[in-house]
């Protein structure tokens, strides 16, 4: 049975269309069955809504004919998305397939003068066989982690800094290149505000380390991660627990490094022992340190920029690999910050 657009979706389309310039392109998908059309559009046309959101256009549909309204760039990307998902529509399309496909299309447009990320992306040995760098910078980041003893990955939320670092650690462990995985974060929130919580320090700061647990569970499976914790092959701890230690034959990840002090950053970088590698990740726009306190990540980038054996990847908003809205949210905040800075200079 053909999929029809819900009244609510149709109303949304008519409202959205009014915002755009009067430009419309019609696409007809030939040789498509009702089942494929249903898979392409999704339940209540949800997949079409994802395409609209990602490329800031509106889509109206009548059978296998789609009318796209909006700016030329958005229409071109949405047209490519419809044709790509049409080719995959023999089976139902998952939310992940839709959103990751939209991200790859957006990145292909932004990085059209660079090689496609799949061409020479490092292969990772994790539970997720399809995991790979989806933008040129992500591919570069994975390669740098494999080839350097210390790698810095900085940039906005959603660019894969932490997840790809954990994936690289899992890959190195599975290939027996390292014997341990050590993940750490500065627990800046674990001060007096958490004093009322039950448990010792480790239990109090556990919620702030939870994203690292989640990445491990996703990449290795809950049971395997549990066994490796018991063996001591995986360790997750607050940064304060690293003082005085030397970590040999391990891949060590310092996450949320923008919240380290210069002293903590130096302490961490000097924990690296024989056969060890380190990855430092952070977003310098989200510093939670007290006002006036220097960020160890910002200082380290300045001091270590020209040190041989240390690599830097600076992700941009174009590298965001999350819900398509995240890249637009990051762009909106950047535009707002730039406007406020301009206004402040004007009043100065």
């Amino acid at each position: 049975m053909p999929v029809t657009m819900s009244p609510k979706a149709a109303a949304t389309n008519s409202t959205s269309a009014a915002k755009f310039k009067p430009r419309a392109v019609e696409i007809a998908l030939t040789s498509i069955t009702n089942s494929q059309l249903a898979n392409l559009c999704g339940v209540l046309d949800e997949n079409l809504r994802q395409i609209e959101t990602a490329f800031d256009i509106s889509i109206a549909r009548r059978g296998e004919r789609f009318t796209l309204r909006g700016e030329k760039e958005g229409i071109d990307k949405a047209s490519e998305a419809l044709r790509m998902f049409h080719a995959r529509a023999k089976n139902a399309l998952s939310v992940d397939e839709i959103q990751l496909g939209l991200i790859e299309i957006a990145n292909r447009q932004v990085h059209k003068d660079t090689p496609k990320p799949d061409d020479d992306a490092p292969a990772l040995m994790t539970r997720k066989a399809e995991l790979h760098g989806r933008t040129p910078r992500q591919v570069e980041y994975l390669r740098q982690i494999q080839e350097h003893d210390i790698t810095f990955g900085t940039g906005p939320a959603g660019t894969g800094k932490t997840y790809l670092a954990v994936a690289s650690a899992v890959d190195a462990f599975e290939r027996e290149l390292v014997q341990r995985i050590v993940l750490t974060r500065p627990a800046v929130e674990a001060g007096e505000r958490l004093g009322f919580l039950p448990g010792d320090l480790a239990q109090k700061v556990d919620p702030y380390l939870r994203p690292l647990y989640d990445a491990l569970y996703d990449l290795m499976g809950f049971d395997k991660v549990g066994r490796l914790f018991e063996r001591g092959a995986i360790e997750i701890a607050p940064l304060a627990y690293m003082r005085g230690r030397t970590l040999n034959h391990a891949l060590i990840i310092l996450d949320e490094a923008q919240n380290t002090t210069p002293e903590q950053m130096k302490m961490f970088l000097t924990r690296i022992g024989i056969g060890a590698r380190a990855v430092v990740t952070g977003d310098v726009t989200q510093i939670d340190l007290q006002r006036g306190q220097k960020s160890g990540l910002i200082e380290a980038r300045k001091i270590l920029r020209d040190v041989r054996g240390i690599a830097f990847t600076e992700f941009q908003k174009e590298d965001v690999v999350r819900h398509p809205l995240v890249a637009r949210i990051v762009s909106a905040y950047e535009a707002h910050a730039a406007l406020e800075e301009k206004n402040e200079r004007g009043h100065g």
Side-chain angles (χ1 to χ4, degrees), residues 154-159 161-162 185-186 188-189 255-260 281-290 293 295-298 301 320 322 326 329-330 333-334:
T154 59
T159 51
K161 304 182 301 295
T162 300
R185 275 185 166 191
V188 295
E189 298 90 348
D255 191 33
E256 299 288 341
Q258 74 274 8
N259 289 327
T260 62
T281 71
D283 179 359
V284 296
T285 68
Q286 297 188 28
I287 297 174
D288 299 318
L289 296 169
Q290 294 181 357
Q293 177 72 64
S295 167
L297 177 58
I298 293 177
R301 289 197 305 178
V320 170
R322 281 188 181 172
V326 174
I329 289 170
V330 171
Y333 271 95
E334 287 180 351

Side-chain angles (χ1 to χ4, degrees), residues 6 8 74 135 152 164 174 197-198 268 321-322 326:
S6 67
K8 180 179 179 181
T135 74
F152 284 78
L164 291 178
E174 296 289 6
L197 292 176
F268 170 78
V321 182
R322 281 188 181 172
V326 174

